[in-house]
Amino acid sequence: MFPLHLAAPPELVNVGVGVHGVRGLRDVFRLPDLWQLHLYGYSADLTVAGTTYAVAPGWVSLTPADVQVQFDYRGRSEHLFVHFRPREVGEPSYVPVAQDAGTAAPVLSDMLRSAIGASPSGSARVVAEVWAALWRVAQLPAPLTEGGAAADHSAVSTAISYIEGNLARSLTVPSLAAIAGVSHNHLTRLFRAETGMTVVAYIRQRRMAHARHLLVSSTLSIPAIAASVGIPDLQAFNKTCHRELGGAPRAVRAGNAVVDRQG
């Protein structure tokens, strides 16, 4: 599961209808600073950070920024999509990568199609429609983990909650497992199943997402930002920025980092 901040309206970048599977049966892409919401009208394999989900009509997926996504289609495929940036305000909701929206699917479809049809695209009405749809997705009943163990879901949620509140501290898989009340290996398996990522990759992604936010939206010094995300070694922070954000911290702050985008 991923933490999604919904206490404030998101910054909406794009909402529309995507038609795929016509020229090719596979798409692979990564949006470095945008979350993705998809509501599916077809069956396909969705692979997020190495984990594959068999999506079907009425399924919905939420993918955080800077996570690789792969679609394997079975023919012409149409979905509704939203690209957005959450505003990191308040406590986050924890959402699965993909799940069956069930009886909420037609409601979500109506909300997103209303947003698509409204004008202008950045108007308060459009943002409100998308914001409401995101809340509806966040409030869907959480799918059971393999074996139907609610305790397993709780263990991952506990680990994620601790990570989010302690990015500046040393975070290790054994310590998180102890906090969650499960073994190291069990947390590793559960985490991968629910989030599509390893624990270490998740920590890195959240640290660098927060670092990007502070670099772009604050006047904090680079050493202060590095310390606030648990990477006080400036050489290590610079190297991680290059690898994860596409450039040095100063380049990210100036908007000159090199990133790959695909709509």
Side-chain angles (χ1 to χ4, degrees):
M1 303 184 80
F2 292 106
L4 174 63
H5 289 82
L6 290 174
E11 179 186 346
L12 181 60
V13 176
N14 200 9
V15 56
V17 179
V19 178
H20 301 271
V22 178
R23 296 184 179 180
L25 295 180
R26 173 171 291 181
D27 283 333
V28 181
F29 60 92
R30 180 194 303 261
L31 300 182
D33 61 351
L34 296 176
W35 278 64
Q36 306 169 62
L37 167 68
H38 291 94
L39 178 61
Y40 299 95
Y42 56 87
S43 296
D45 289 330
L46 165 69
T47 302
V48 179
T51 298
T52 299
Y53 306 86
V55 300
W59 276 58
V60 63
S61 68
L62 271 164
T63 309
D66 204 28
V67 173
Q68 181 169 295
V69 177
Q70 176 177 304
F71 289 96
D72 288 290
Y73 309 107
R74 297 168 190 168
R76 185 183 186 279
S77 304
E78 181 177 306
H79 60 230
L80 306 181
F81 71 88
V82 180
H83 295 163
F84 65 100
R85 296 185 184 92
R87 302 182 190 277
E88 294 192 5
V89 177
E91 292 296 318
S93 299
Y94 293 93
V95 295
V97 173
Q99 61 182 315
D100 185 353
T103 57
V107 178
L108 288 169
S109 179
D110 288 345
M111 296 169 80
L112 294 179
R113 290 188 184 278
S114 177
I116 292 168
S119 181
S121 61
S123 68
R125 175 189 166 186
V126 177
V127 172
E129 293 275 12
V130 170
W131 191 20
L134 289 170
W135 268 114
R136 179 64 69 104
V137 172
Q139 292 170 346
L140 290 172
L144 293 174
T145 58
E146 184 176 351
D152 289 351
H153 169 75
S154 177
V156 175
S157 296
T158 298
I160 287 176
S161 180
Y162 187 85
I163 290 168
E164 289 298 311
N166 295 276
L167 290 177
R169 297 186 179 184
S170 173
L171 296 169
T172 66
V173 179
S175 65
L176 290 169
I179 290 167
V182 295
S183 71
H184 174 293
N185 289 337
H186 194 44
L187 179 63
T188 299
R189 289 192 298 270
L190 293 175
F191 212 95
R192 184 80 183 200
E194 288 209 32
T195 71
M197 305 173 72
T198 65
V199 180
V200 172
Y202 180 88
I203 294 170
R204 182 174 62 247
Q205 190 271 337
R206 292 305 301 150
R207 279 176 164 161
M208 297 317 296
H210 189 54
R212 180 196 290 276
H213 172 72
L214 293 176
L215 286 167
V216 173
S217 305
S218 80
T219 57
L220 284 174
S221 69
I222 289 173
I225 292 172
S228 74
V229 297
I231 314 176
D233 184 314
L234 289 182
Q235 184 176 357
F237 182 65
N238 185 70
K239 182 178 180 180
T240 306
C241 277
H242 271 281
R243 184 177 66 247
E244 302 293 330
L245 303 183
R250 293 185 187 279
V252 175
R253 170 161 275 172
N256 295 326
V258 177
V259 294
D260 296 324
R261 295 175 184 270
Q262 179 171 336

